[in-house]
Amino acid sequence: MSNAVRIVPLGGLGEVGRNMMAIEYEEQMLLVDCGLMFPQNDMFGIDIVLPDMRYVWERQDRLRGIVITHGHEDHLGALPYLLRGLDNAVPIFATPLTAGLIAMRAREHRVSRRAQLDTIAGGMRRQVGPFEIEFIHVAHSIPDTVALAIRTPVGLIVHTSEYKLDMTPYSGAPTDLQRFAQLGHEGVLLLMADSTNADKPGRTPSEQLVSQTLDHIFAQTTGRILVSTFASNLMRAAQVIETAQRYGRRVGVAGRSMEQNIRLAIEMGYLPISQDELLPAEAFESAPPHEVCILCTGTQGEPMSALVRMARGEYPHLAIRPGDTVVLSAHTIPGNEELVNRTINRLFRLGARVLHPPLWPVHVSGHAARDEMRIMLDTVRPRFFMPIQGEYRHLALHADLAREEGIHDDRIILVESGTPVHVWSEGWATAPSVGGDLLFADGRRVNEIHIALLRDRLRLARGGFVVVVVPVDETRNAVVGEPHIITHGLLRHEEYETLRDILQNALRNLTFEDTDEDIETVIRQVVRQQIRQLTARRPLVYPVIVPA
């Protein structure tokens, strides 16, 4: 559509994570963020979930630049995978800390040559093809977060990134609400705003609340203190380090991603500590308990994270014991409740005291709650509004909030990942879906895994599998001899002979003359029926036909 800007959400709308959006005018494209999402419990064998980058790869000749708004994994974690599929380097615009994190990930993935970094700061501008981008400082749970004011030939687009209106942030300045107001006076065609906390009333508490709680915990605790948070939550890490120093504790770091991020943040001057001052891992157990504080990963119950390995008694440098205090400084992401609760229970069994939300105010969100969203809407006063970043209920609730603030229903754009939106000065329209599918990092592969493969993995986990080796006389079109049965994950060893006898009796002398089904299908149906009658389970069944 001529004289319209095209918005293509490739992830992050209708879900929490894998934020990625293409903004296009004519034949030129700007990409905003490139994040990942961690797999759900039923995505067996999947390492991470990626946005649908194929849309960008197929149109990479149009790509003029990539903007990464901040350093959280759900906004930059998929970038190395995107770069791997590009033929040439493309400018990547990011603030200093975010650029440092990108460079570190690029080295790990050996794509540094394709990471053409352009370091920016709040208040700066860049011209990228037909887009003039202005970077606006916002307060979030990681330093150096920016919102975007994107001037296009069609009009001004404002992308809030992730923000909150914390007037007393732990570090840095508050969100530059004055600049948002100036943009509102200038006239905003489209506002795209973070919806993550659209179901949270009031305002998000200040980071100062966490600082006060940490001070209380450190003042009252004589044993070791372990604080688990996201590896990218460097603001929380700084709070912990300063509090520990105030109470004479040395800080150690556990967890590979946490160690990498802390090392980078120290090198860049974002943390009030030097590398030499950190407590080495070999001293975690030997140091006096009242002098120990450990920063670690594991707030979401990730199986290989440091805290979860400690809870299982598998971490080599530290064993949880009575007298330890464990602080979980994060809210549980929906879908991770089972893993988190399992970890908490294990920590309690080992004698630790576990402090976590909502019982203890040891974490506050980095996202605006409903009252702050109202302020943003009233400040920017856009012609059109598009809620972004959140599950569908969050998007819908944010849309309801916009209606309450006077934005007419026909000016609210409620779509999910994969649905392109054309916006022009007087209207908007959707287009047929072009992307938004889930891509998976599955071992060394990055591709779309068919849902049937995930369904097979789920069935394997729930019911095991059975291999049936069947001798078939093709001239008589019948089973001859004894079928051989192999099972895994289905029955106890002592039950195997019963199942073997049942299946052999069902298959012995089976003929295939009176059916249109192929031999493998008939055998699979017979085996499944017998197993279902015996065990009420549905394993995967693999017939192997051997000529007799």
Side-chain angles (χ1 to χ4, degrees):
M1 183 178 296
S2 61
N3 202 31
V5 66
R6 177 179 166 95
I7 311 293
V8 187
L10 299 170
L13 274 66
E15 61 201 346
V16 175
R18 70 185 201 112
N19 296 287
M20 184 177 183
M21 179 174 291
I23 301 176
E24 298 175 287
Y25 181 75
E26 295 182 344
E27 297 298 313
Q28 302 187 75
M29 179 195 301
L30 172 70
L31 202 62
V32 178
D33 288 329
C34 187
L36 56 78
M37 183 169 68
F38 292 104
Q40 300 171 8
N41 290 342
D42 57 354
M43 294 180 177
F44 297 105
I46 301 303
D47 299 321
I48 55 175
V49 186
L50 306 170
D52 194 350
M53 298 179 289
R54 294 171 300 182
Y55 182 86
V56 181
W57 289 332
E58 292 165 1
R59 298 163 179 81
Q60 58 182 284
D61 59 312
R62 304 179 184 180
L63 185 59
R64 299 294 176 263
I66 303 170
V67 177
I68 304 298
T69 59
H70 63 283
H72 283 156
E73 289 294 309
D74 59 337
H75 288 257
L76 67 72
L79 186 57
Y81 298 92
L82 176 72
L83 297 178
R84 193 184 300 169
L86 297 179
D87 296 332
N88 300 299
V90 175
I92 302 171
F93 304 93
T95 52
L97 177 60
T98 308
L101 292 167
I102 292 171
M104 182 173 68
R105 302 288 189 278
R107 287 193 297 270
E108 290 177 3
H109 287 259
R110 299 180 180 179
V111 291
S112 294
R113 292 182 179 179
R114 302 180 188 179
Q116 184 181 323
L117 288 166
D118 184 340
T119 303
I120 53 86
M124 296 177 64
R125 299 188 183 199
R126 289 287 190 274
Q127 188 71 39
V128 183
F131 310 104
E132 183 191 71
I133 309 167
E134 178 185 348
F135 304 94
I136 306 166
H137 170 77
V138 293
H140 188 41
S141 56
I142 187 171
D144 282 4
T145 301
V146 288
L148 309 174
I150 305 171
R151 290 172 175 81
T152 77
V154 178
L156 175 59
I157 297 174
V158 173
H159 184 299
T160 68
S161 180
E162 294 182 345
Y163 75 99
K164 62 179 179 178
L165 302 183
D166 186 348
M167 294 299 103
T168 57
Y170 176 73
S171 64
T175 292
D176 191 353
L177 200 58
Q178 181 179 359
R179 185 57 188 147
F180 283 105
Q182 291 169 345
L183 295 170
H185 285 296
E186 179 181 331
V188 173
L189 173 68
L190 173 65
L191 170 65
M192 298 187 288
D194 179 15
S195 306
T196 305
N197 277 355
D199 57 350
K200 301 293 190 298
R203 295 180 66 118
T204 299
S206 171
E207 290 287 340
Q208 295 299 333
L209 176 63
V210 177
S211 294
Q212 295 166 10
T213 305
L214 289 173
D215 190 87
H216 174 75
I217 292 169
F218 276 73
Q220 302 296 321
T221 303
T222 57
R224 295 183 300 188
I225 298 176
L226 293 84
V227 181
S228 180
T229 189
F230 289 111
S232 58
N233 194 343
L234 296 173
M235 193 173 296
R236 185 77 71 250
Q239 289 172 287
V240 171
I241 290 169
E242 285 196 356
T243 307
Q245 291 172 335
R246 194 159 56 248
Y247 286 92
R249 291 178 181 264
R250 295 186 66 188
V251 177
V253 183
R256 179 173 175 270
S257 57
M258 179 73 78
E259 292 170 359
Q260 290 178 326
N261 288 357
I262 293 293
R263 186 183 305 113
L264 175 67
I266 290 173
E267 291 173 358
M268 299 186 69
Y270 284 91
L271 295 178
I273 195 171
S274 68
Q275 193 71 35
D276 293 339
E277 292 176 287
L278 292 175
L279 182 69
E282 54 270 21
F284 287 178
E285 287 287 351
S286 60
H290 67 281
E291 296 180 4
V292 175
C293 173
I294 308 297
L295 268 170
C296 61
T297 55
T299 60
Q300 303 306 307
E302 306 96 315
M304 296 309 295
S305 64
L307 183 63
V308 173
R309 292 167 65 197
M310 293 174 192
R312 294 198 303 255
E314 299 173 357
Y315 191 73
H317 303 296
L318 187 146
I320 299 293
R321 58 179 184 247
D324 290 341
T325 295
V326 179
V327 179
L328 295 181
S329 186
H331 291 309
T332 301
I333 295 174
N336 291 345
E337 293 87 356
E338 181 182 349
L339 294 173
V340 173
N341 290 336
R342 186 184 305 159
T343 300
I344 292 173
N345 284 325
R346 285 172 172 163
L347 292 168
F348 271 117
R349 288 192 185 100
L350 293 170
R353 180 175 67 142
V354 185
L355 312 180
H356 59 89
L359 293 176
W360 285 76
V362 291
H363 177 71
V364 295
S365 175
H367 303 268
R370 289 179 68 83
D371 284 356
E372 295 157 275
M373 292 177 176
R374 291 181 191 274
I375 293 172
M376 183 62 72
L377 286 163
D378 291 342
T379 300
V380 176
R381 297 176 296 168
R383 176 178 290 273
F384 301 108
F385 172 64
M386 181 174 169
I388 60 173
Q389 295 176 193
E391 296 179 0
Y392 192 81
R393 61 192 172 96
H394 300 131
L395 306 181
L397 288 169
H398 205 174
D400 289 342
L401 200 61
R403 293 185 189 96
E404 294 174 11
E405 297 307 304
I407 299 180
H408 293 167
D409 199 52
D410 61 355
R411 296 183 183 275
I412 297 173
I413 306 170
L414 185 59
V415 297
E416 293 187 83
S417 299
T419 301
V421 178
H422 295 268
V423 183
W424 60 98
S425 58
E426 297 301 327
W428 64 275
T430 59
S433 179
V434 295
D437 293 333
L438 299 179
L439 290 185
F440 301 97
D442 176 43
R444 294 184 180 274
R445 297 177 298 170
V446 176
N447 55 17
E448 179 185 10
I449 294 180
H450 195 276
I451 193 66
L453 179 57
L454 294 180
R455 192 181 299 122
D456 282 350
R457 291 179 179 179
L458 181 60
R459 186 177 294 173
L460 277 169
R462 289 178 173 173
F465 73 91
V466 178
V467 177
V468 187
V469 183
V470 184
V472 173
D473 185 339
E474 295 181 354
T475 59
R476 295 167 48 195
N477 211 20
V479 175
V480 296
E482 292 291 334
H484 182 56
I485 314 298
I486 303 169
T487 71
H488 282 284
L490 178 63
L491 295 170
R492 297 191 303 271
H493 180 72
E494 56 268 24
E495 297 173 316
Y496 170 74
E497 290 187 5
T498 300
L499 176 65
R500 182 196 59 194
D501 292 343
I502 290 173
L503 293 182
Q504 287 180 342
N505 289 333
L507 294 171
R508 188 180 293 118
N509 300 322
L510 185 67
T511 60
F512 311 100
E513 293 180 349
D514 299 326
T515 178
D516 294 330
E517 302 282 2
D518 60 74
I519 296 174
E520 289 87 351
T521 300
V522 173
I523 292 172
R524 186 180 290 108
Q525 290 172 345
V526 170
V527 171
R528 283 178 175 170
Q529 180 182 12
Q530 296 298 322
I531 292 176
R532 193 157 49 245
Q533 291 176 355
L534 178 65
T535 69
R537 297 174 72 179
R538 299 173 180 268
L540 286 174
V541 177
Y542 293 94
V544 178
I545 307 303
V546 180

